Amino acid sequence: MKPDTLLDTLAHDLGRLADGRHHHPHGVLVPHRDAARVAILLYLPNAHDVTIEDTLAAPRVGQTDFFLWRGDTTAVPPRYRIRWRDSHGPQSRHDPYAFAPEIDMAA
């Protein structure tokens, strides 16, 4: 997974997500795995800073509300927590896109 390949591939989808017009956000925001590496893309409007599992900083992607962390798959559990700070203070939750969808989108 080359550094710019993922964002280049998803550029159109990211714009549609940010505009609230994407029909399948799970297909974009799911963790992207490639061999021993993973890329976790998060969409958190109004977040100031984001971490995964308290220690892995996910930098903001440009001037957007997307945050991206890349690293070794062993650095994060399959169902990880994300934490961020926004105007309401500290927030925390499991990343809902780390879970498989409950409905088969192909059906």
Side-chain angles (χ1 to χ4, degrees), residues 16-107:
R16 290 176 49 215
L17 276 170
D19 291 341
R21 297 183 297 112
H22 201 284
H23 71 287
H24 183 44
H26 196 280
V28 178
L29 297 174
V30 64
H32 298 268
R33 299 181 189 283
D34 181 9
R37 308 275 298 160
V38 63
I40 297 174
L41 181 63
L42 305 163
Y43 181 60
L44 295 165
N46 304 313
H48 302 296
D49 51 74
V50 177
T51 59
I52 298 168
E53 290 295 310
D54 292 324
T55 59
L56 306 170
R60 182 180 299 275
V61 176
Q63 299 298 313
T64 71
D65 287 322
F66 292 95
F67 295 81
L68 177 62
W69 178 84
R70 290 184 177 150
D72 192 282
T73 56
T74 61
V76 291
R79 308 296 181 250
Y80 51 86
R81 290 192 69 78
I82 55 176
R83 297 185 195 283
W84 70 97
R85 191 174 44 84
D86 61 20
S87 60
H88 301 288
Q91 309 292 325
S92 175
R93 71 168 190 228
H94 280 93
D95 183 359
Y97 298 105
F99 296 83
E102 292 293 318
I103 299 173
D104 183 2
M105 299 304 288

